[in-house]
Amino acid sequence: MNQKPVWEDRQVKFDIPAIYKTLRSGERVLEVFDCVEDTKGNSGDTGRLLATNLRVIWYSVTSHRFSLSIGYSCILTMNTKTVVSKLRGTTQALHILGVGSNSRFEFIFTHMLANTKHFAPIFDIYRLYQASTVYRELKLRSSVVVAGQLQVLPQEQLFNTISGVWNLSSDQGNLGILIISNVRLVWFAEMNNSFNISLPYLQIASVRIRESKYGPALVVQTLETGGSYVLGFRIDPPERLGDVYKELLSLHSVYTETPVFGVVYEAPVDTERPPSKTFDDIEELESGAGGEINSKFTAYLTETDDGSTGSGRKPFYCKELGFAMESLKEGYTVKDLWDVLPSQ
């Protein structure tokens, strides 16, 4: 069972060759931002920013030697600022403060074009990552079991529930229930549900059957990122133990090929203006086959009898409209002023 530890969400790395082609299995690109500059490290170099379910990636589109990989678990703070310059106009900059290899890093990604895509989706994806740690991290004595029922995850499928399983972590052992799903192994004590463990396949280094002072036992060892624990479970009879062992090996192998990281993101749909509200339609109306907009109305508003603004003409009763109005200027009729738009 040779599983490479997932580093993409846990490390900050620089200048990975062809980084956009080396996404690991199960990693998905959720958002793409074009024409983005790595302002602190590669100022003036046009690049592309990717938000996956594990990390933020930036790479130069002009020189593939330059790239960044920032795992979500390395991010300390993240915010945006509005940037105004004579060259680019009003754009947006994404500031990320991260930590990796006992060092702190500050990254600034700036849109190179004005009025471009907002960075808000990155914040949404990051929050989804933070809310789905149970898919990726070992949990001890957590609230994964409530009133004897496992809190099933949105992308989780349960395959087997085995009663009468002894957890051998203590001298006397604890009797409980073992649950096997497509993403993790869960055990909890029957008498005390808060005494439990949720172990994602992502953190399992090996699974084997070994002899213990309690007889044959299922032994699960976690990766260093999972605490380097050695967990033992006794399952009777031995035939049943063998079946559980084979099932775990099979599910772990499937998971290794197609891991589930738990970040489910749907990009928001942009709302478009109704066609009748667009400027193109107004321009088409002004110059289309239907005729020109009535220019006499505009002329009437600006023209006066003596060439100045205002007139002081006396009102009269207009039969066509049914109310009193100012006397019309010479050369104009009520129809000239009423039909502002041409009839179709």
Side-chain angles (χ1 to χ4, degrees):
M1 185 178 290
N2 296 319
Q3 176 172 306
K4 294 181 179 180
V6 176
W7 61 264
E8 284 80 359
D9 63 331
R10 298 173 179 269
Q11 295 183 27
V12 175
K13 289 196 174 186
F14 300 87
D15 301 334
I16 301 174
I19 189 171
Y20 56 94
K21 296 181 180 179
T22 57
L23 301 182
R24 72 170 299 119
S25 177
E27 187 175 12
R28 302 286 181 268
V29 176
L30 304 180
E31 283 286 354
V32 179
F33 303 85
D34 288 310
C35 295
V36 175
E37 169 193 83
D38 171 22
T39 304
K40 292 199 70 175
N42 297 280
S43 180
D45 196 357
T46 302
R48 179 172 291 137
L49 193 69
L50 310 178
T52 80
N53 50 346
L54 295 175
R55 54 181 166 163
V56 173
I57 294 172
W58 179 90
Y59 65 91
S60 169
V61 297
T62 56
S63 176
H64 296 318
R65 293 186 298 113
F66 304 123
S67 65
L68 293 170
S69 173
I70 309 168
Y72 290 136
S73 66
C74 300
I75 294 177
L76 299 177
T77 61
M78 186 165 54
N79 58 76
T80 58
K81 294 181 181 179
T82 300
V83 180
V84 181
S85 69
K86 293 182 180 180
L87 180 62
R88 300 174 183 171
T90 302
T91 64
Q92 191 184 60
L94 174 67
H95 290 241
I96 297 178
L97 181 63
V99 61
S101 302
N102 299 319
S103 300
R104 289 199 174 197
F105 304 97
E106 183 185 28
F107 305 96
I108 301 176
F109 301 104
T110 307
H111 278 303
M112 302 184 74
L113 301 175
N115 301 319
T116 48
K117 192 174 183 179
H118 199 278
F119 285 122
I122 294 181
F123 292 82
D124 296 333
I125 296 169
Y126 178 58
R127 283 190 288 267
L128 290 171
Y129 172 86
Q130 290 180 307
S132 57
T133 56
V134 70
Y135 283 91
R136 304 177 302 273
E137 297 180 8
L138 182 147
K139 301 290 184 181
L140 294 171
R141 298 181 180 271
S142 62
S143 56
V144 297
V145 179
V146 177
Q149 296 295 320
L150 176 67
Q151 303 301 292
V152 181
L153 304 173
Q155 294 179 277
E156 185 172 28
Q157 295 177 300
L158 303 185
F159 287 105
N160 203 350
T161 300
I162 308 110
S163 301
V165 177
W166 291 89
N167 185 328
L168 307 180
S169 59
S170 59
D171 291 337
Q172 72 276 14
N174 289 278
L175 188 63
I177 296 173
L178 186 70
I179 299 176
I180 299 173
S181 79
N182 62 319
V183 296
R184 58 178 171 165
L185 175 71
V186 178
W187 179 91
F188 63 94
E190 293 181 353
M191 302 300 295
N192 181 8
N193 292 170
S194 63
F195 184 42
N196 58 59
I197 180 171
S198 172
L199 176 59
Y201 297 139
L202 187 67
Q203 298 297 344
I204 293 180
S206 65
V207 178
R208 54 188 187 274
I209 296 177
R210 291 177 54 184
E211 284 293 329
S212 71
K213 62 179 180 180
Y214 300 102
L218 179 71
V219 178
V220 181
Q221 185 168 356
T222 71
L223 295 168
E224 185 177 351
T225 54
S228 299
Y229 291 102
V230 178
L231 308 172
F233 303 97
R234 177 178 171 180
I235 303 173
D236 294 324
E239 295 79 12
R240 193 182 187 192
L241 171 63
D243 292 340
V244 173
Y245 168 71
K246 292 177 182 178
E247 184 176 25
L248 267 179
L249 285 181
S250 176
L251 289 172
H252 185 274
S253 176
V254 171
Y255 181 90
T256 302
E257 293 296 324
T258 56
V260 179
F261 296 119
V263 180
V264 180
Y265 171 78
E266 294 184 7
V269 179
D270 293 334
T271 56
E272 298 181 354
R273 290 182 299 176
S276 60
K277 300 296 184 181
T278 62
F279 292 107
D280 293 339
D281 290 334
I282 296 175
E283 293 172 358
E284 183 179 346
L285 181 61
E286 291 176 345
S287 58
E292 295 181 354
I293 292 180
N294 188 353
S295 60
K296 285 190 174 183
F297 179 73
T298 303
Y300 184 86
L301 295 177
T302 58
E303 178 186 332
T304 61
D305 298 320
D306 57 2
S308 62
T309 57
S311 64
R313 291 185 300 274
K314 294 182 180 181
F316 79 103
Y317 180 76
C318 178
K319 293 182 180 180
E320 292 96 327
L321 300 179
F323 54 77
M325 60 178 287
E326 184 185 66
S327 298
L328 297 177
K329 301 172 187 177
E330 186 177 353
Y332 292 95
T333 65
V334 172
K335 182 176 177 59
D336 291 336
L337 306 183
W338 186 260
D339 293 339
V340 178
L341 296 177
S343 57
Q344 299 298 323

